[in-house]
Amino acid sequence: MRKKAKAAGIPVKQKRLSPEDRRKEFIRKATEFFAEEGFNGGTRELARRLGVTQPLLYRYFPSKEDLIREVYRKVYLEPLDSDWEKRLSDRSRPLRDRLQYFYVTYTDAIFNRVWLRIYLFSGLKGLDINRWYVGTVRDKILTRIIKEWRFEAGLSVQSKPTAKELELAWVFHGGIFYYGVRKFIYESPVLEDKERMIADAIDTFLIGMTRALGKNSREVSRNLNRLETTADR
């Protein structure tokens, strides 16, 4: 009925959104806006695109910074499955299998144009979004991976990750992340088999960690031989 009325040129009364639904709609469109324009885009232009007044937008978000925080929560935190960290800690499965599962599902969530553009724009702008997210990756993902590698290598898991361990983990994580940047931002040719790319990156990381940090452990030596055999297949 609404389609027929619209086709006939009859004004159709729009459904009134609840405050919560309107807020979600503002965040969704603000996400698209910032992904296209960067964070220099002003709230006046955003309000125009939303079809509302700037004062109404400020009723929901008192400042542009408040709106950016909500975009961060929607874009960065919601896609992070709370079950991921638990699965990374499941020692009933080999670490390599856990890492493969994690990075396949993680990249399924973040490898899209909006997510990556917002991340890059916020980095260029020097916003807190990147610092917040880098801290989340370090504390929730990389620290857990290092502890699980230590456990599987027969090393102590009690102390905090060393600077060297974190750098090796960042190189590994960053390589997988940059695959997404090359594909979705630069539109450069990449190995289209994403799961194969992740598997190769995991093998390289685990062998590298073992060579660099676990030379004095008999268990590590056994793991290294096993990893190198797997990687050669």
Side-chain angles (χ1 to χ4, degrees):
M1 188 71 182
R2 294 172 64 88
K3 288 183 179 179
K4 289 182 179 179
K6 187 175 181 179
I10 302 172
V12 178
K13 186 176 180 180
Q14 296 294 319
K15 181 181 178 181
R16 186 178 182 85
L17 297 176
S18 69
E20 182 58 28
D21 287 341
R22 184 182 287 271
R23 179 183 175 84
K24 290 178 181 177
E25 180 71 358
F26 284 173
I27 294 170
R28 184 182 67 80
K29 290 188 176 179
T31 299
E32 296 171 357
F33 176 73
F34 289 134
E36 291 301 322
E37 302 296 331
F39 288 97
N40 285 326
T43 54
R44 186 183 301 277
E45 174 61 18
L46 174 59
R48 187 187 69 78
R49 292 200 186 186
L50 290 170
V52 300
T53 63
Q54 196 176 20
L56 177 60
L57 183 61
Y58 280 128
R59 279 176 52 188
Y60 287 85
F61 307 98
S63 69
K64 183 177 176 180
E65 288 68 29
D66 290 318
L67 179 56
I68 288 173
R69 287 192 190 94
E70 287 302 312
V71 169
Y72 165 77
R73 184 185 62 79
K74 179 71 176 176
V75 173
Y76 288 86
L77 297 187
E78 283 191 9
L80 293 180
D81 189 334
S82 60
D83 194 43
W84 287 349
E85 192 175 7
K86 190 182 302 181
R87 285 177 176 266
L88 277 174
S89 307
D90 180 9
R91 291 171 180 169
S92 67
R93 300 175 61 200
L95 177 58
R96 190 184 184 286
D97 293 350
R98 286 179 269 159
L99 290 174
Q100 181 74 19
Y101 169 83
F102 170 77
Y103 275 101
V104 168
T105 53
Y106 174 72
T107 53
D108 283 346
I110 72 167
F111 279 2
N112 62 77
R113 191 168 179 272
V114 168
W115 196 103
L116 293 167
R117 283 177 67 89
I118 285 182
Y119 185 87
L120 295 174
F121 274 134
S122 61
L124 291 172
K125 187 67 175 173
L127 298 177
D128 286 336
I129 283 180
N130 287 72
R131 285 185 284 273
W132 294 333
Y133 191 71
V134 164
T136 297
V137 170
R138 181 193 61 230
D139 298 338
K140 300 292 186 182
I141 299 174
L142 303 187
T143 295
R144 172 54 57 188
I145 289 173
I146 291 166
K147 285 186 176 182
E148 296 309 309
W149 174 81
R150 285 182 182 178
F151 179 83
E152 192 159 285
L155 303 173
S156 171
V157 299
Q158 300 305 316
S159 58
K160 292 182 178 179
T162 65
K164 186 172 183 178
E165 286 174 324
L166 280 171
E167 281 305 318
L168 288 169
W170 272 119
V171 169
F172 160 61
H173 182 88
I176 292 176
F177 176 83
Y178 200 67
Y179 169 95
V181 173
R182 288 187 293 120
K183 180 173 183 178
F184 293 97
I185 303 300
Y186 300 145
E187 298 181 350
S188 298
V190 297
L191 177 67
E192 288 300 328
D193 186 346
K194 186 185 75 169
E195 293 194 19
R196 179 70 262 166
M197 177 276 295
I198 290 171
D200 291 342
I202 290 169
D203 287 338
T204 302
F205 168 67
L206 293 176
I207 291 171
M209 287 285 282
T210 302
R211 287 194 180 281
L213 303 170
K215 294 178 181 177
N216 298 324
S217 168
R218 199 175 304 168
E219 181 65 25
V220 164
S221 297
R222 286 198 293 267
N223 286 341
L224 177 59
N225 291 332
R226 176 173 54 79
L227 286 166
E228 287 179 330
T229 301
T230 302
D232 287 339
R233 288 174 185 170

